[in-house]
Amino acid sequence: MQPDRGAAPAGQLDDLDRRLLSVLAEDAAVTNKALADRLGLAESTCAYRVRALREAGVVTGTRAQLDLALLGYPLQAIVKVRLGSHTMANVNQLYAALAAAPGVIQAFHLAGADDFHLHVAVEDAAALRDFVLRHVTTHRVVRQTETHLVFEVRRGAGVLDRPA
Amino acid sequence: MQPDRGAAPAGQLDDLDRRLLSVLAEDAAVTNKALADRLGLAESTCAYRVRALREAGVVTGTRAQLDLALLGYPLQAIVKVRLGSHTMANVNQLYAALAAAPGVIQAFHLAGADDFHLHVAVEDAAALRDFVLRHVTTHRVVRQTETHLVFEVRRGAGVLDRPA
DNA sequence: TGTGAAATATAACGCTA
DNA sequence: TAGCGTTATATTTCACA
């Protein structure tokens, strides 16, 4: 068992870690050499820190980002879902079903009047209607839905670009 | 519901492309060899298709996914924003400012009563109040905001797991 | 589709401030 | 203790046949 050489524990991220994560959050495919050069680090140091961040669970994975319009799903919407009954079994079961519905990008479980917000991508308006009728309102526990067209989604600044 | 054929990029996406994208969407760091093995392709063929998808713009990039709670931002919220004036200049300028605000993960521009939904991650309740007061309500064009705690966010099934 | 050269990643080590 | 430079080894990528 290797004694850890100060592997960055989850609670103590320094500014260097934040800059590393900031780059990786934008482009996870960057090579270790390029990353090291960009931050003025030695390659060995850079590789070590990145691995430590991975092992600490700060980096949970890497995902390819897709152009949904090019894939044939140019229409996006937010579907607000309100329940009639809030037993834990109802909520959990519905949440799983909604998240698994085809076309759902993200499913938010919220506090407030709306129980869930579904961010969905579909082919066209007809497909959107079909989605709601088929995968949302069919559940008996769903009392009400409200669907809003998404004009545009932008990635935000994220949490890393803060003043240290 | 038939997906219309007009929306596809230069090369039509076949079922193989969808399976490639499905894997890459879950783990962009998968090696070409592993990806080829998993789909029963030759490595060179697999590499060629992935590159073609990249060049076609279907894959727009790869991003590291971070554990926001471990980073020190365990609280997430949806901030609904309503405007008082909807001139194009107002909307565009505000949208840019909101998306650039620290802590914003995603910014949705919507049709309907709410103009924007901001998905934000913050340190605690005080930071959430601070975020709204400092980066949202300070803009004169903002008429009203409404903030909802996010219990949980789940990744949805996405658009690729549909019946072909 | 297959192959081999070049690039890259990984892990270990001693050294330095 | 954290960073650096180096080494050796394994793996991956990419152009070309």
Side-chain angles (χ1 to χ4, degrees):
Chain A
M1 187 93 57
Q2 171 105 353
D4 72 1
R5 286 169 44 189
Q12 298 290 344
L13 292 174
D14 60 17
D15 187 60
L16 186 54
D17 288 319
R18 270 190 277 275
R19 283 191 293 157
L20 283 167
L21 292 171
S22 182
V23 174
L24 290 173
E26 286 302 312
D27 175 20
V30 66
T31 66
N32 183 64
K33 174 176 169 47
L35 186 57
D37 286 350
R38 189 148 154 196
L39 298 188
L41 290 175
E43 290 182 40
S44 55
T45 305
C46 186
Y48 173 77
R49 303 277 293 228
V50 171
R51 184 169 52 130
L53 287 169
R54 240 173 254 276
E55 286 173 357
V58 176
V59 176
T60 60
T62 65
R63 301 185 183 282
Q65 198 165 40
L66 308 180
D67 186 316
L68 296 171
L70 282 182
L71 280 170
Y73 307 98
L75 199 64
Q76 296 185 25
I78 296 289
V79 180
K80 303 177 178 177
V81 180
R82 296 189 183 191
L83 274 59
S85 159
H86 292 80
T87 68
M88 189 171 299
N90 274 344
V91 172
N92 287 339
Q93 190 178 353
L94 182 64
Y95 197 6
L98 293 177
V104 174
I105 311 299
Q106 278 184 309
F108 296 83
H109 184 198
L110 301 176
D114 296 327
D115 293 285
F116 299 104
H117 279 191
L118 307 178
H119 176 204
V120 302
V122 293
E123 297 92 325
D124 50 34
L128 182 55
R129 178 191 56 185
D130 195 57
F131 170 85
V132 174
L133 293 179
R134 188 192 289 257
H135 294 104
V136 185
T137 56
T138 44
H139 297 277
R140 299 226 174 109
V141 68
V142 171
R143 179 200 292 269
Q144 182 194 349
T145 72
E146 205 175 292
T147 300
H148 296 277
L149 178 66
V150 172
F151 290 137
E152 187 186 349
V153 185
R154 289 191 194 170
R155 263 181 69 82
V159 297
L160 295 168
D161 291 343
R162 306 198 182 205
Chain B
M1 179 108 13
Q2 296 290 350
D4 78 345
R5 308 176 206 296
Q12 284 283 5
L13 290 175
D14 59 16
D15 186 59
L16 185 55
D17 288 320
R18 302 190 152 227
R19 283 191 293 157
L20 283 168
L21 292 171
S22 182
V23 175
L24 291 173
E26 286 301 312
D27 175 20
V30 67
T31 65
N32 183 63
K33 174 176 168 50
L35 187 57
D37 286 352
R38 188 146 154 196
L39 298 189
L41 293 173
E43 290 182 37
S44 50
T45 306
C46 184
Y48 173 79
R49 298 208 50 149
V50 171
R51 187 170 47 161
L53 288 168
R54 237 172 255 276
E55 286 172 357
V58 175
V59 177
T60 60
T62 64
R63 324 206 106 107
Q65 198 165 38
L66 309 180
D67 186 316
L68 296 171
L70 282 183
L71 279 170
Y73 308 98
L75 198 64
Q76 296 186 24
I78 296 289
V79 180
K80 303 178 179 178
V81 180
R82 296 189 184 191
L83 275 59
S85 160
H86 292 79
T87 68
M88 190 172 298
N90 274 345
V91 171
N92 288 339
Q93 189 178 354
L94 182 65
Y95 197 5
L98 292 177
V104 174
I105 310 299
Q106 278 185 308
F108 296 84
H109 184 196
L110 300 176
D114 296 328
D115 294 284
F116 299 104
H117 279 191
L118 307 178
H119 177 205
V120 303
V122 294
E123 296 92 326
D124 49 35
L128 182 55
R129 177 191 57 184
D130 194 57
F131 169 85
V132 174
L133 293 179
R134 187 193 289 257
H135 294 104
V136 185
T137 56
T138 44
H139 298 277
R140 299 225 174 108
V141 69
V142 171
R143 178 202 293 267
Q144 181 194 350
T145 72
E146 205 175 292
T147 300
H148 296 276
L149 178 67
V150 173
F151 291 137
E152 186 187 350
V153 185
R154 288 192 195 169
R155 264 181 69 82
V159 297
L160 293 168
D161 290 344
R162 305 199 182 204

